[in-house]
Structures are given as structure tokens and as C-alpha cells.
Amino acid sequence: MKILFFDTKSYDKESFDAALSSFPSVEIEYTKSDLDPRTAVLAEGFDAVCAFVNSDVGTQTLDILHGKGIKLILMRCAGFNNVDLDTAKKYNIPVKRVPGYSPEAVAEHAMALALASNRRLHKAYNKVRENDFSLSGLMGFNFYQKTAGIIGTGKIGAAMCRICRGFGMKVIAYDVYENESLKDFVEYVSLEKLLSESDVISLHCPLMDSTYHIINIDTIKQMKDGVVLVNTSRGALVKTDDLIEGIRMHKFAGVGLDVYEEETDNVFEDRSDEILEHSTTARLLSFPNVMITSHQGFFTREALQAIADITLQNAMDYEAGKKSSNDVI
Ligand code: NAI
């Protein structure tokens, strides 16, 4: 099978090249261009395309891919909201994805953000570099024997529960479904109880109508003063203007964000003064107890290798006519 791999980064090439040794019948050609209606023509002569979260796999792109004889779309990510599934179905082009690759990668990053924002590591790092060894503004609190509130206990939330238990924390959780594997040490509670009792709150539910802006001024007001809030899930779980209001109310000891509402607007790629001036993310960064990273939760060697292995296995399953839970359609 010949795959054209779009939006290639050096780390993608490394992990997929390493995985290829176990899939001798697969050939990959890499291009730095991302997939969209202008670049879809490059797929001439290939069997499949491999795309990512930001690729445009809309109607026009699919029209062209179908015209070029593409038989399979391999998404090397969990999300597929950028794929026009109706058109793919019309052309009988299956879409496969990688629903989970390394929950621990994201959960460990969530804990890193919780710890770093609580102990002001970002601030401490800059202070010491400037030869300022004073401790002012750096005081945090122990996580040991405090309460962690985990919202969403699927793959990543469960990993976060286990990490918090390792820290000697009491772990409470809110989810619409309870995860049986956590019952030994996690107490499921209402969202209200979680908000009012937790010292550290970490969001691990998907973005849906029911979770959109689940953290807003009403839910923030229900939280304990001095809480640490972490979001590694999706930006729009948190209403940013309300978060800023909460920070101004001194609600939070720390806020750690790997995702934020403006992420898809490429605010920081287009660094014009006007955009930054109106950017809520830039406003968030002006607070010393806020730490923001650039959607890097998934970004570990193990996760990238798992993405490569699963994507290529998806290609093989297609060749063998095998159905799997990674099939979107
Ligand atoms: P998952 O599907 O295994 O778990 C999601 C959990 O959320 C499920 O237990 C589900 O019942 C629960 N849930 C659904 N609606 C809810 C609600 N209204 N309130 C509370 N809980 C609710 O998903 P997984 O793999 O754990 O991923 C979680 C999220 O992490 C993803 O949706 C994605 O947004 C984010 N993510 C972030 C990455 C990063 O690099 N920062 C990488 C991968 C995923």
C-alpha cells in the first residue's frame, strides 16, 4: 500500500519510519504540505492519505481525492470533526483513526501543569535566571492528603486518578458513566460536590454540548478558594472570560492549561499586536499563577510510536478487509 503522508513534522517521520519495519508492504511518501483542496491533487498514484487534526478533509478535498483514486483515509489522531463523513461515505472511502494512544502521556502532563502552576516553577525558573534567588511569590501547598477532583474518568482521567492516588491524595470524580476499574480508590460524587471539595480539579471529559463551558463563573464560584485548575482536554470546556474573572477574584492558587479557546485561531502564529491585544489567551498569560503550554499533552516518544503503529495497523486491517473499533466509517 502506498500512503501519502500530509503535514509531516520531523518527529512524525521518525516514528513512522521506525514503525515501517513491522509493516513491509507499506510505503510512505512524506510531504510537509497539509491536506486541503489545493494539495489533494498530490495524491495521484497513492492508495491512501494520512492526515491530522488540522487537515481539511472536507467535501472539496474528498471530491479530488476520489478523482485521484484514493481508497482510504488514515487519520493519525483521535478526532475526525475535520472529515466530511457523508462525502467519504458517498465515495465509499473508509476513514480510520487512532482513538487512544497513551493516556498516561496526557495525564502526566496534567499533573506537571498542576505542580508547576502550584509551585510557580515557570516564575521560579525566570527569577533564578535573572540571579534573583528570593522565594517571594513562590509559595505553594502540599498535594499530599488534599483532594483531587477529576471530571471525566475515561482513559486519560483514569490515568490521572492513579497519578493523584500515587501522590497520597483523596480522589473524587464526576462522570456520566462510572469507571468500574477505579472503584477501589475513587469516590464518584456530583459535580457540585466535586467543585466545592476539591483542592485540585482536572478536566478530562470530551467537548460536547453538555460539557461546553462546564467551567464558567457559576461553577468557578462553587470552587474552594485557592484551588488549582488544570485543563488538558479541550479549550472550550472553560469559558475564558469567566476564568479571568475568577483569577481576578483570587479564586485560584494555580491554573494550568494545555488547551484554550483560541487555539484554532492560531493567535500565536500570527503575532500581530492587534490580535494579541484582543487575545484572551494573552490576557491569561499576564497572571503569574497561570501556566500555559501549547497542546503538547500527547507529545511523548511512546505516544508518537503508538500513533504510528496503530495507524499502520489500520492500513493493514483495511487491506485484510478487517473491521475494527478504529473505523469511523
Ligand atoms: P475517553 O472517551 O476515554 O473519556 C472521556 C470520559 O468523559 C468518559 O468517561 C465519558 O463518560 C466522560 N464524559 C462524557 N460526558 C461527560 C460529562 N458531561 N461530564 C463528565 N464526564 C463526561 O477520552 P480520553 O481518551 O480520556 O480523552 C479525554 C479528552 O482528552 C479528549 O476528549 C480530548 O479532548 C483530550 N485529549 C487531549 C490531548 C492533549 O494533547 N492535550 C490528547 C488526547 C486527548
Side-chain angles (χ1 to χ4, degrees):
M1 173 180 288
K2 281 182 78 180
I3 302 171
L4 181 58
F5 194 106
F6 282 92
D7 192 22
T8 312
K9 306 284 188 289
S10 57
Y11 49 80
D12 293 319
K13 188 170 181 314
E14 241 168 70
S15 54
F16 274 81
D17 279 350
L20 272 178
S21 58
S22 312
F23 298 91
S25 62
V26 177
E27 251 178 74
I28 300 181
E29 196 169 307
Y30 299 96
T31 171
K32 286 189 175 158
S33 309
D34 202 353
L35 177 60
D36 63 29
R38 287 165 309 151
T39 57
V41 288
L42 300 171
E44 171 109 49
F46 290 87
D47 304 300
V49 294
C50 183
F52 196 49
V53 272
N54 295 320
S55 307
D56 171 355
V57 201
T59 320
Q60 250 187 304
T61 303
L62 283 163
D63 287 343
I64 299 164
L65 291 178
H66 170 66
K68 297 291 172 196
I70 286 298
K71 295 184 296 217
L72 171 68
I73 310 275
L74 292 164
M75 299 303 293
R76 56 179 189 278
C77 52
F80 51 87
N81 55 310
N82 50 338
V83 185
D84 177 351
L85 296 180
D86 290 336
T87 306
K89 236 183 250 164
K90 182 177 90 184
Y91 292 135
N92 202 17
I93 304 178
V95 177
K96 290 173 181 275
R97 66 178 184 131
V98 184
Y101 29 91
S102 177
E104 286 75 18
V106 184
E108 287 174 15
H109 191 66
M111 182 48 100
L113 282 172
L115 290 169
S117 61
N118 171 39
R119 303 300 288 266
R120 307 276 192 276
L121 292 189
H122 50 305
K123 201 172 163 184
Y125 175 78
N126 286 330
K127 273 168 73 110
V128 170
R129 276 172 73 93
E130 307 225 324
N131 226 10
D132 174 358
F133 287 81
S134 77
L135 299 181
S136 65
L138 301 183
M139 195 190 292
F141 66 88
N142 284 9
F143 281 8
Y144 179 62
Q145 291 190 338
K146 296 293 189 314
T147 300
I150 310 302
I151 300 181
T153 50
K155 293 179 283 299
I156 298 171
M160 186 61 173
C161 288
R162 292 190 291 269
I163 290 172
C164 292
R165 176 181 56 166
F167 271 72
M169 304 181 83
K170 174 181 175 189
V171 187
I172 61 176
Y174 168 72
D175 196 316
V176 286
Y177 299 105
E178 300 190 0
N179 184 334
E180 287 298 321
S181 72
L182 301 173
K183 284 287 178 64
D184 284 353
F185 67 97
V186 173
E187 182 194 346
Y188 279 93
V189 297
S190 65
L191 181 60
E192 293 70 28
K193 191 168 156 76
L194 182 144
L195 294 169
S196 63
E197 292 189 1
S198 301
D199 301 289
V200 176
I201 296 176
S202 195
L203 306 179
H204 298 288
C205 53
L207 178 62
M208 300 184 299
D209 288 347
S210 60
T211 57
Y212 178 75
H213 285 177
I214 191 168
I215 301 301
N216 54 57
I217 199 61
D218 295 329
T219 46
I220 288 171
K221 281 183 178 160
Q222 293 175 51
M223 294 177 193
K224 270 185 176 177
D225 287 342
V227 65
V228 168
L229 175 71
V230 174
N231 185 11
T232 55
S233 258
R234 282 294 176 267
L237 295 176
V238 177
K239 189 171 179 194
T240 313
D241 285 329
D242 288 9
L243 178 63
I244 290 170
E245 196 181 331
I247 296 168
R248 291 227 168 92
M249 285 157 42
H250 301 290
K251 183 54 96 175
F252 301 99
V255 174
L257 306 174
D258 190 42
V259 290
Y260 28 92
E261 285 190 286
E262 289 173 323
E263 216 175 317
T264 46
D265 301 341
N266 290 331
V267 174
F268 296 101
E269 276 176 32
D270 179 359
R271 287 175 168 271
S272 77
D273 288 346
E274 198 195 346
I275 286 183
L276 283 179
E277 201 176 309
H278 295 106
S279 148
T280 47
T281 316
R283 276 164 67 206
L284 276 173
L285 277 172
S286 68
F287 297 104
N289 54 347
V290 176
M291 175 149 198
I292 300 185
T293 53
S294 174
H295 206 147
Q296 67 175 73
F298 74 100
F299 198 52
T300 65
R301 209 171 295 124
E302 291 79 1
L304 290 178
Q305 207 51 63
I307 290 170
D309 289 337
I310 296 167
T311 305
L312 295 181
Q313 188 55 51
N314 284 345
M316 289 298 88
D317 286 351
Y318 167 80
E319 290 264 81
K322 230 162 87 184
K323 291 269 162 230
S324 95
S325 54
N326 299 348
D327 298 349
V328 181
I329 53 165

